[in-house]
Amino acid sequence: MAEVLVYVDHVDGAVRKPTLELLTLARRIGEPVAVALGNGAADTAAALAEHGAVKVLTADAPEFADYLVVPKVDALQAAFDAVSPAAVLLPSSAEAKEIGARLALRIGSGIITDAVDLEAGDQGPVATQSAFAASYTTKSRVSKGTPVITVKPNSVAVEAAPAAGAVEALDVSFSEKATGTKVLSRTPRESTGRPELTEAAIVVAGGRGVNGAENFAVIEALADSLGAAVGASRAAVDAGWYPHTSQVGQTGKSVSPQLYIASGISGAIQHRAGMQTSKTIVAINKDAEAPIFELVDYGVVGDLFAVVPQLTDEVKSRKG
Amino acid sequence: MSLRIVVCVKYVPDATGDRHFADDLTLDRDDVDGLLSELDEYAVEQALQIADEADDAEITVLTVGPEDAKDALRKALSMGADKAVHVEDDDLHGTDVIGTSLVLAKAIEKTGYDLVICGMASTDGVMGVLPALLSERLGVPQVTLLSEVSVEDGTVKGRRDGDSASEQLEASLPAVVSVTDQSGEARYPSFKGIMAAKKKPVESLDLEDLEIEADEVGLEGSWTAVDSATERPARTAGTIVKDEGEGGRQLAEFLAGQKFI
Ligand SMILES: Cc1cc2nc3c(=O)[nH]c(=O)nc-3n(C[C@H](O)[C@H](O)[C@H](O)COP(=O)(O)OP(=O)(O)OC[C@H]3O[C@@H](n4cnc5c(N)ncnc54)[C@H](O)[C@@H]3O)c2cc1C
Ligand SMILES: Cc1cc2nc3c(=O)[nH]c(=O)nc-3n(C[C@H](O)[C@H](O)[C@H](O)COP(=O)(O)OP(=O)(O)OC[C@H]3O[C@@H](n4cnc5c(N)ncnc54)[C@H](O)[C@@H]3O)c2cc1C
C-alpha cells in the first residue's frame, strides 16, 4: 500500500489533535508515515502509533528552534526523498502551510490548503475545501506531482488504529538557506487552561456587545460551565478586551466546533468566514436584525447580560 | 543606496458582495466589484512607514491580475507608493498559487528589490502561502506574518505571533516579509494622494516580458484542478425567541435537547 507522509504538530512531544485527525484521513489513502521534528520528537511515537502511524521519522537539531520554517522544510524534504510517498499531509496551521508550500515547490507539486475533508479518487486524493466565507464547497485535486495538502482542524473525528509506529532517525542536512531567518527570542503563550480554540467541541464567543474587558468574565463563565473555548470578534480584540489569539474569523482562527455560541456579535462576513461551518450555531444579540441570526439554529433576541448568566446558571444546575 | 521595496497587492472580489464561481470553476469576476485586498493595505502601510524611516527608498506596487486590477494599483499609489507594475496576460486566467508565485518572482527580479512586502493572505483564496513561496523562489529569507516590522542597516526585524508562542525574528536583506492586520491601521488616501497617483507610472508586463511560457501558468499549466464547486445550501431558518425574562432558560432547554448539556 502507498505510504502517506504526515507532518506532526506537537509541543515538546505532546501531539496536537489535528495531527491525529490527519492520521485518520491518511489511512483513507494509504499507510501513514509520520514526521516529527524538534524537541521531544521521539516522544510522539506512542500517540502516533496508536492512531495508525506505521513508521515515525524523527529528527532534532538546534536549527529547528533557532531559525524560521526552512530547516523544517529541509527535514520534510529528506523524509519525502526517503519514503517517496503518494501524498503529503500537514495541518493547516500558519507554519505548516508555509512548510507545505515550500516543499511542494521543491518537489514540483501543487498544493491545496485548508481542506475540510479528504477521500481517495481515481486520480489521487480529492480534497473538499470551503470557499468564499464557506458559501461554496469545492472538490479539488493536485494534478501535477505528489499531492501536498493541508487540512483544517476538526475536519474528521479521530479514530484509533494501532500500528507499528517504529521510530527511525531521519538524516537531515540543512540547506544553505536554512539559517536565513533567526528566531531571536520566543515567548510561549500562557495557557488559559481552556481547550484550544481551533480544537474545541464548543466555542463561546463575545463581540463588541460585551462592551469591556472585565465583562468578558460573563462569556468565560458560560464557557467554563460548558467546558468550552473562548473566542472573540475582531471588534472585541481591536478594543483590547481579549487577546488577538482568540479572534475568530478571516484574519483570526477558523473554527468548526459542534456548537458555536455568539454573544454580542453582529455576524459580519469576515467573522462568518471563520465560524460558518460550525455544526450548531446559537446567537444572543439585542438587535433582531443582526445578520448573525441568518445563520443560527437557535437565536435569542435580548441583552446578553441577562441571557448569558441565566444560561450559565441553568447549565450548571443541569450538570449538577 | 536607495532601499527598493516591492509590495505585492492583489485585486480581489469584494467580500461583502455576492461571490461566485464561473462555469470554468474560476472566480466569476463579472458579478461582483473588485478592490485592493484589504489585507494588502497593511502591506502598503508598512512599506510607507519603512520608507519614511529610510534615507532614501522607492516603493513599487506589483499585481498579477486582469485589466481592472489597475484599480488596486491606483489605490496603493494614492496611499503613497511611487510606481506600479501590472502583470497582465490572457494566458494567466486560472493560475494557481504555484504559478502565481512564479510570475510574481520573475516580475520582482525584473523590477529589482531589497525588500518584498506582502499581505498575510488574500481575501479570496486565503491560502497565506504566497510569501513563503516567493522566499523559496527568490532564495532569500522569509520573515512572515509579522505584527510589527522594522528595517535598519540592511536588517529586517519583526514579531510573529503564532499559535503557541510569540517570536522575535531577524534576517538580512534582501528578504520577503508579510504583515498581519495587527501591524497598524492603513492610512486613507488623501485628496492630494489621489491626484498625484494619476501621474505616477504604471508599467505593464506580459508573460513574454517575463520569459514565462504560456503552458507554465493558467488553467492549463495549473498544478491543481478544481473538479466541482457547489453553493452551500442556505441554512434552514432556526428558531428565534425574544427574551422576556426566560431567554437563557429557553436556550438551555434547546442545548439540552441537542445533548450539549
Ligand atoms: C480585511 C478584514 C478582515 C477582518 N477579519 C475579521 C475577523 O477575522 N474576525 C472578525 O470578527 N471580524 C473581522 N473583521 C471585522 C468585521 O468586518 C466586523 O467589523 C467585526 O466582526 C464586528 O465585530 P462585532 O460583531 O463584535 O461588532 P459589531 O458589528 O459592532 O456588532 C456588535 C453587536 O453586538 C450587539 N449588542 C450590543 N450590545 C449588546 C448586548 N448588551 N446584548 C446583546 N447584544 C448586544 C449589537 O446589536 C451588534 O449586533 C475584518 C474586517 C476586514 C475589513
Ligand atoms: C476560493 C479559492 C481557493 C483557492 N485554492 C487554491 C488551492 O488550494 N491551491 C492553489 O494552488 N490555488 C488556489 N487558488 C488560487 C490562488 O488563490 C491564486 O493562485 C492566488 O493568486 C494565490 O493564492 P492566494 O490568493 O490564496 O494568496 P495568499 O497566499 O493568501 O496571498 C498572500 C499575499 O500574496 C500576495 N499575492 C497573492 N496573489 C497575488 C497576486 N495575484 N498579485 C500580487 N500579489 C499577490 C499578496 O500580498 C497577498 O496578501 C484558490 C483561489 C480561490 C479563489
Side-chain angles (χ1 to χ4, degrees):
Chain A
M1 208 173 170
E3 287 169 316
V4 176
L5 221 49
V6 171
Y7 179 81
V8 176
D9 185 8
H10 70 100
V11 180
D12 298 331
V15 179
R16 297 177 68 167
K17 187 166 150 262
T19 300
L20 305 181
E21 295 175 23
L22 285 184
L23 290 170
T24 304
L25 289 172
R27 294 204 307 276
R28 295 185 186 168
I29 48 178
E31 289 193 320
V33 173
V35 183
L37 307 175
N39 183 39
D43 300 339
T44 60
L48 298 170
E50 206 180 305
H51 292 87
V54 295
K55 215 189 285 177
V56 181
L57 304 176
T58 66
D60 192 11
E63 280 83 352
F64 295 127
D66 296 348
Y67 302 94
L68 195 73
V69 174
V70 185
K72 292 175 179 167
V73 183
D74 290 341
L76 193 59
Q77 189 180 12
F80 179 87
D81 292 340
V83 173
S84 303
V88 183
L89 305 185
L90 304 95
S92 274
S93 67
E95 185 187 42
K97 283 206 272 194
E98 294 184 330
I99 295 170
R102 297 185 75 129
L103 177 77
L105 192 56
R106 287 188 186 183
I107 64 176
S109 296
I111 177 165
I112 287 176
T113 56
D114 299 315
V116 294
D117 201 3
L118 200 63
E119 63 213 337
D122 300 342
Q123 297 162 282
V126 177
T128 305
Q129 287 171 289
S130 83
F132 304 147
S135 59
Y136 271 88
T137 302
T138 61
K139 301 256 188 205
S140 38
R141 290 174 285 120
V142 169
S143 48
K144 280 193 219 165
T146 306
V148 177
I149 300 172
T150 81
V151 181
K152 276 199 190 183
N154 269 338
S155 294
V156 68
V158 173
E159 290 162 19
V167 179
E168 270 177 38
L170 178 68
D171 213 6
V172 187
S173 51
F174 293 109
S175 64
E176 211 180 296
K177 300 290 176 199
T179 54
T181 311
K182 274 193 222 127
V183 179
L184 300 177
S185 70
R186 178 176 288 118
T187 317
R189 211 175 93 207
E190 271 176 55
S191 165
T192 59
R194 298 194 178 89
E196 261 310 308
L197 185 55
T198 52
E199 299 169 17
I202 303 180
V203 173
V204 177
R208 202 194 306 269
V210 173
N211 200 21
E214 342 57 77
N215 297 344
F216 255 87
V218 174
I219 303 296
E220 289 179 330
L222 175 60
D224 292 341
S225 75
L226 291 163
V230 177
S233 73
R234 175 157 148 190
V237 166
D238 281 354
W241 303 339
Y242 225 66
H244 174 61
T245 44
S246 302
Q247 182 177 318
V248 172
Q250 187 182 52
T251 54
K253 302 268 161 63
S254 68
V255 300
S256 61
Q258 297 299 317
L259 172 64
Y260 189 82
I261 305 181
S263 300
I265 293 178
S266 62
I269 186 76
Q270 296 89 354
H271 187 79
R272 292 160 70 145
M275 48 66 74
Q276 194 146 227
T277 54
S278 304
K279 309 294 175 297
T280 299
I281 298 175
V282 167
I284 300 145
N285 195 307
K286 65 181 184 190
D287 175 10
E289 304 296 317
I292 190 90
F293 285 126
E294 293 161 19
L295 295 183
V296 297
D297 297 283
Y298 198 94
V300 181
V301 179
D303 188 330
L304 74 92
F305 295 106
V307 178
V308 174
Q310 190 180 64
L311 173 61
T312 307
D313 287 345
E314 194 65 25
V315 173
K316 283 195 202 147
S317 74
R318 282 176 190 246
K319 284 196 166 172
Chain B
M1 249 301 271
S2 163
L3 178 70
R4 296 164 302 167
I5 306 175
V6 177
V7 188
C8 297
V9 298
K10 192 177 181 187
Y11 178 72
V12 297
D14 186 346
T16 59
D18 210 2
R19 293 177 293 180
H20 289 287
F21 283 96
D23 291 340
D24 65 354
L25 302 179
T26 65
L27 181 72
D28 185 347
R29 293 186 183 266
D30 294 337
D31 271 8
V32 54
D33 290 339
L35 42 75
L36 166 63
S37 176
E38 284 153 309
L39 294 171
D40 292 344
E41 291 182 16
Y42 295 89
V44 176
E45 177 62 37
Q46 290 308 312
L48 292 168
Q49 291 190 19
I50 289 166
D52 271 350
E53 294 294 315
D55 293 339
D56 179 20
E58 183 182 56
I59 302 174
T60 305
V61 286
L62 164 65
T63 197
V64 174
E67 163 84 46
D68 295 346
K70 285 199 173 60
D71 292 352
L73 295 174
R74 285 285 169 218
K75 169 94 187 259
L77 290 172
S78 65
M79 287 172 72
D82 301 300
K83 61 191 182 70
V85 174
H86 182 192
V87 185
E88 189 191 356
D89 197 307
D90 288 345
D91 289 324
L92 282 168
H93 176 75
T95 306
D96 67 358
V97 77
I98 298 282
T100 304
S101 69
L102 171 71
V103 180
L104 283 171
K106 293 258 190 170
I108 289 165
E109 274 169 339
K110 191 175 169 76
T111 304
Y113 70 103
D114 301 297
L115 181 64
V116 176
I117 308 185
C118 296
M120 63 187 285
S122 70
T123 57
D124 59 351
V126 215
M127 296 181 73
V129 300
L130 202 120
L133 287 170
L134 285 181
S135 153
E136 181 73 33
R137 287 206 186 263
L138 297 169
V140 303
Q142 73 167 75
V143 197
T144 49
L145 298 171
L146 304 181
S147 45
E148 246 173 49
V149 59
S150 64
V151 173
E152 218 175 315
D153 302 329
T155 303
V156 51
K157 287 191 185 181
R159 192 180 86 232
R160 172 169 165 127
D161 293 320
D163 273 353
S164 53
S166 175
E167 296 164 328
Q168 290 291 339
L169 305 176
E170 182 188 278
S172 305
L173 298 184
V176 175
V177 160
S178 76
V179 299
T180 73
D181 59 339
Q182 300 292 300
S183 59
E185 272 313 302
R187 70 194 64 185
Y188 287 105
S190 62
F191 178 71
K192 209 172 125 219
I194 294 167
M195 295 317 285
K198 296 192 169 144
K199 298 198 193 80
K200 291 178 179 172
V202 179
E203 183 187 4
S204 277
L205 299 175
D206 61 14
L207 289 175
E208 203 179 323
D209 296 323
L210 297 176
E211 293 172 24
I212 297 172
E213 299 295 329
D215 63 4
E216 292 178 83
V217 294
L219 275 179
E220 284 296 298
S222 191
W223 281 256
T224 52
V226 182
D227 290 334
S228 70
T230 25
E231 208 160 352
R232 211 180 149 81
R235 289 184 85 104
T236 43
T239 309
I240 295 182
V241 300
K242 194 170 177 332
D243 178 38
E244 272 154 359
E246 289 296 312
R249 272 187 281 275
Q250 284 168 295
L251 183 47
E253 193 59 41
F254 168 78
L255 294 180
Q258 304 284 315
K259 308 255 184 299
F260 288 118
I261 343 177

